[in-house]
């Protein structure tokens, strides 16, 4: 991550490679595994993850990191 001292991570998914991403999971910084539910069998999903740090009550985000596509 490029947010120093991050508080957590947010995971986004889409069935399109370059658009339509929606947040599907969030986790605290000390967790390395998330479960994404309600995916449709037979579809390919594209994922992105970004870290965040809370500063003065507002989230400061890193750039999104694209992950390998996954076919359910």
């Amino acid at each position: 991550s490029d947010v120093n001292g991050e508080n957590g991570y947010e995971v986004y998914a889409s069935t399109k490679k370059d658009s339509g991403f929606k947040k599907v999971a969030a986790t605290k910084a000390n967790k390395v595994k998330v479960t994404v539910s309600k995916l449709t069998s037979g579809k390919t999903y594209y994922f992105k993850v970004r870290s965040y740090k809370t500063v003065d009550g507002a989230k400061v985000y890193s750039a999104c990191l694209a992950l390998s596509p996954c076919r359910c």
Side-chain angles (χ1 to χ4, degrees):
S1 96
D2 57 1
V3 173
N4 200 10
E6 64 272 355
N7 296 115
Y9 299 93
E10 295 180 351
V11 179
Y12 298 81
S14 176
T15 55
K16 299 175 184 174
K17 185 176 180 179
D18 297 315
S19 65
F21 284 88
K22 293 184 181 181
K23 186 166 78 169
V24 295
T27 186
K28 299 291 182 190
N30 61 349
K31 292 191 107 184
V32 294
K33 181 178 177 181
V34 297
T35 300
V36 178
S37 58
K38 298 184 181 179
L39 300 179
T40 303
S41 180
K43 286 195 173 195
T44 298
Y45 287 87
Y46 298 88
F47 292 92
K48 293 183 178 184
V49 64
R50 67 180 178 175
S51 61
Y52 68 87
K53 180 177 182 175
T54 304
V55 177
D56 296 329
K59 288 183 179 178
V60 177
Y61 291 98
S62 71
C64 283
L65 173 66
L67 306 174
S68 298
C70 176
R71 184 164 179 85
C72 295

